[in-house]
Amino acid sequence: MRTAASLVLGLLALLVSTTSGSPLSDERFAATLLPEHSLRFTEPQLCDPSVKQLSGYLDISDTKHLFFWFFESRNDPENAPLVLWLNGGPGCSSSTGLLMELGPCKVNEFGNDTIPHPHSWNTNANIIFLDSPANVGYSYSDSVLDAPTTTPATAVDVWTFLTLFISRFPKYASLPFHVAAESYGGHYAPHIAHTILEKRAEYPTLPEINLKSIVLANGLTEPLSQFEELPEWACESEWALWDTDSKECKDFRAMVPAMRQLTKACYASNSRVACVPAGFYAFGRMYGVIRQTGLNHYDVRRECEDTESGTCYPELRLIDAYLDRTDVKLALGALPDREFKGCNMEVNQKFHFQGDVMKNSARLVPDLLNAGIRVLAYVGNTDAVCNWMGVEKWMEKLESKFQVEFALTRRVPWFTKDSKLAGSVRAAGAGAGEYAFVKVHDAGHMAPYDQPEATLDLIQRWLADESLV
Ligand SMILES: *[C@@H]1O[C@H](CO)[C@@H](O)[C@H](O)[C@H]1NC(C)=O
């Protein structure tokens, strides 16, 4: 992937020419090793007209065009942190985070407009919502062969995007930067952070991404521990689906040894051949047990309302309808003839067929901690897809500079600033924690959707490095 890196060399000698008279700015960046980068962006007035916005495409190579929608903070944007938000899938657009969970607006009940969101994370943060990798959401590639089908390749493209973004918009370059990623983003975020550190050493003259933390939001990061704990969560947790002595629990637990053997082989070789079978077993058979209940596997308090699409939330179809509107695409500088789909299942399948899904992304975390990058994992407790017990377990097991301190620490209640009990927190290190686990009460996979006030409290305090206890 050295070519992707070389694209941005020489970016400091930035050459910008803007097409005048068009609301859509079409710029070309001159770079030393590759002739130019294109940036086509506009300043939309949708969603949250109270703040400055940017949206459009940044071409991170000749063939790959990544769509972003950026919102300044509602308060003090000059000093507020910069956050990159990614949803998971793999293959899903950040539109879910933007229009259903934590963005400045939500899609309305008809899917033809938006309504303001008072608890948006842009209350105190500048946020980039990025459709990643290429071919997800509005992002696209001219050559299918070129588009990433693994997390490491995706991370390099995101790094290229970020480097170009802060080069073109330097007022955001010095702000503290955080990567927050949900679900499959539990794989993405550690890789993106690690890539940022690697590239900093490799290309010291490029503008530096001021990385401070990663936030794993109901993330899949270390599949072995997380699938080991799935039957425990389903049989022992406060949201258990079955009695612990039931046949269901006995059968579910009986799947663990096979999963463990396959996943250990995957971890040992980190190869496609070893990891694909582990993925089929865990995603097919073990998630299959949960799916068969007919419950919403993202939030077992609910039935799966939209079984047709398997996504369980009617909002997701409304988001697709909204972002597929021609007027919206034009307002955002997105390609009007590209059909918007929240999730690209071809991209999803490709990641599965690379064995990417079962690889161990937690192995990158110790390097991040050693480099002073803070790590937060929060998990809604009613989520079956990324159960909280599995996340706490991998964090306990991980051999890092915080292992002993984390082992000696117990979860303590987390009260929001207005004194509501919102969950519990277990943190090692200074401040809000340098290595922290948060269990969010009465929240599913999309915790900000279920608990907007509590998760805003959490993210504000994490970004400001203020303790939750
Ligand atoms: C959205 O759809 C509803 C119901 O059809 C309609 O009443 C409303 O005017 C529409 N709004 C926009 C902005 O098109």
Side-chain angles (χ1 to χ4, degrees), residues 108 110-113 325 327:
N108 75 358
F110 309 112
N112 63 4
D113 206 348
R325 286 173 67 98
D327 57 341

Side-chain angles (χ1 to χ4, degrees), residues 295-311:
L295 296 173
N296 179 341
H297 45 281
Y298 297 117
D299 185 342
V300 296
R301 295 171 301 172
R302 304 160 188 267
E303 300 288 305
C304 187
E305 285 177 55
D306 191 355
T307 40
E308 196 186 324
S309 71
T311 51

Side-chain angles (χ1 to χ4, degrees), residues 277-297:
F280 282 135
Y281 194 87
F283 278 65
R285 294 203 55 188
M286 294 190 72
Y287 280 159
V289 172
I290 304 285
R291 268 194 302 269
Q292 276 164 15
T293 63
L295 296 173
N296 179 341
H297 45 281

Side-chain angles (χ1 to χ4, degrees), residues 175-426:
L175 302 174
F177 176 69
H178 305 261
V179 179
E182 185 176 275
S183 190
Y184 206 78
H187 280 308
Y188 295 150
H191 279 270
I192 292 166
H194 208 268
T195 302
I196 289 171
L197 300 181
E198 285 165 26
K199 300 292 181 190
R200 187 180 288 170
E202 207 175 334
Y203 302 106
T205 57
L206 282 175
E208 188 167 309
I209 299 166
N210 190 16
L211 178 66
K212 296 294 183 203
S213 88
I214 61 171
V215 177
L216 310 171
N218 282 74
L220 178 64
T221 302
E222 203 264 82
L224 175 58
S225 298
Q226 296 185 239
F227 280 100
E228 275 177 345
E229 290 304 294
L230 180 56
E232 297 314 307
W233 175 86
C235 296
E236 299 283 353
S237 76
E238 65 273 47
W239 288 100
L241 306 178
W242 303 286
D243 187 87
T244 188
D245 299 321
S246 64
K247 179 173 186 310
E248 285 85 352
C249 285
K250 191 164 166 275
D251 291 349
F252 205 5
R253 287 187 170 117
M255 291 181 176
V256 169
M259 183 284 300
R260 188 181 288 136
Q261 190 183 359
L262 292 166
T263 309
K264 281 192 169 167
C266 167
Y267 280 17
S269 72
N270 208 34
S271 70
R272 192 168 74 87
V273 173
C275 294
V276 167
F280 282 135
Y281 194 87
F283 278 65
R285 294 203 55 188
M286 294 190 72
Y287 280 159
V289 172
I290 304 285
R291 268 194 302 269
Q292 276 164 15
T293 63
L295 296 173
N296 179 341
H297 45 281
Y298 297 117
D299 185 342
V300 296
R301 295 171 301 172
R302 304 160 188 267
E303 300 288 305
C304 187
E305 285 177 55
D306 191 355
T307 40
E308 196 186 324
S309 71
T311 51
C312 297
Y313 291 91
E315 283 89 343
L316 295 171
R317 273 193 296 170
L318 298 171
I319 291 172
D320 281 7
Y322 177 70
L323 293 177
D324 203 36
R325 286 173 67 98
T326 305
D327 57 341
V328 171
K329 292 180 198 173
L330 290 173
L332 294 175
L335 287 192
D337 54 358
R338 184 179 164 82
E339 186 193 1
F340 183 88
K341 279 213 177 90
C343 292
N344 181 333
M345 294 319 287
E346 281 170 40
V347 172
N348 181 286
Q349 273 186 4
K350 285 178 181 168
F351 275 73
H352 275 275
F353 281 104
Q354 292 291 337
D356 196 79
V357 301
M358 292 305 278
K359 291 186 178 175
N360 178 5
S361 296
R363 69 188 167 81
L364 302 177
V365 169
D367 282 353
L368 304 179
L369 297 172
N370 289 338
I373 311 301
R374 301 161 57 221
V375 174
L376 166 67
Y378 74 73
V379 189
N381 67 345
T382 67
D383 180 16
V385 175
C386 295
N387 74 85
W388 66 268
M389 292 168 71
V391 175
E392 188 173 24
K393 181 170 178 183
W394 78 249
M395 292 190 75
E396 262 175 16
K397 271 171 53 183
L398 188 75
E399 290 175 21
S400 80
K401 64 190 269 198
F402 293 114
Q403 188 177 22
V404 172
E405 186 186 343
F406 195 77
L408 294 172
T409 308
R410 286 287 159 265
R411 264 189 284 118
V412 292
W414 152 46
F415 291 94
T416 60
K417 286 217 160 135
D418 49 8
S419 307
K420 274 196 220 139
L421 178 63
S424 52
V425 55
R426 182 172 173 188

